[in-house]
Amino acid sequence: MWYLYMVRCSDSSLYTGIATDVARRFAEHAAQGKQAAKYLRGKGPLALVFAVQAGSRAEASRLEAKVKRLAKVDKEELIKGVESLASLGLM
């Protein structure tokens, strides 16, 4: 099972990614090592703010691309639970 997740950086920007083990992947990002996404390096402290099951890798990749195209305000509403992926037409 693949998951979609979002990480908030210290500058309030949001990073969206996919992984099979969100806790492990977040730990890699937080460690700021070679396994971390380049975007996140130097932007700590980081906070995992959203995670949801996304199905297969292909489904997760499609969902990730759609979420990345959302406006930041829509991403914030997803995080707060005001909106859902379905209500935004993403699932």
Side-chain angles (χ1 to χ4, degrees):
M1 179 62 64
W2 284 79
Y3 295 84
L4 171 85
Y5 65 92
M6 283 192 269
V7 173
R8 185 177 310 279
C9 303
S10 61
D11 65 359
S12 294
S13 63
L14 294 169
Y15 172 83
T16 304
I18 60 171
T20 54
D21 184 344
V22 176
R24 176 195 51 80
R25 188 67 181 124
F26 178 71
E28 290 172 352
H29 291 317
Q32 302 285 304
K34 289 184 179 182
Q35 297 289 350
K38 287 182 184 179
Y39 178 82
L40 296 175
R41 292 183 194 161
K43 294 196 177 189
L46 306 175
L48 181 64
V49 294
F50 183 81
V52 66
Q53 282 188 346
S56 70
R57 182 176 184 153
E59 292 166 332
S61 292
R62 281 192 292 275
L63 183 58
E64 177 188 22
K66 290 177 182 179
V67 170
K68 284 182 174 185
R69 286 192 297 266
L70 289 177
K72 186 170 185 208
V73 68
D74 291 329
K75 293 177 189 178
E76 294 290 353
E77 289 185 353
L78 269 176
I79 292 165
K80 292 177 188 171
V82 174
E83 293 286 349
S84 68
L85 292 170
S87 68
L88 291 172
L90 301 177
M91 290 194 88

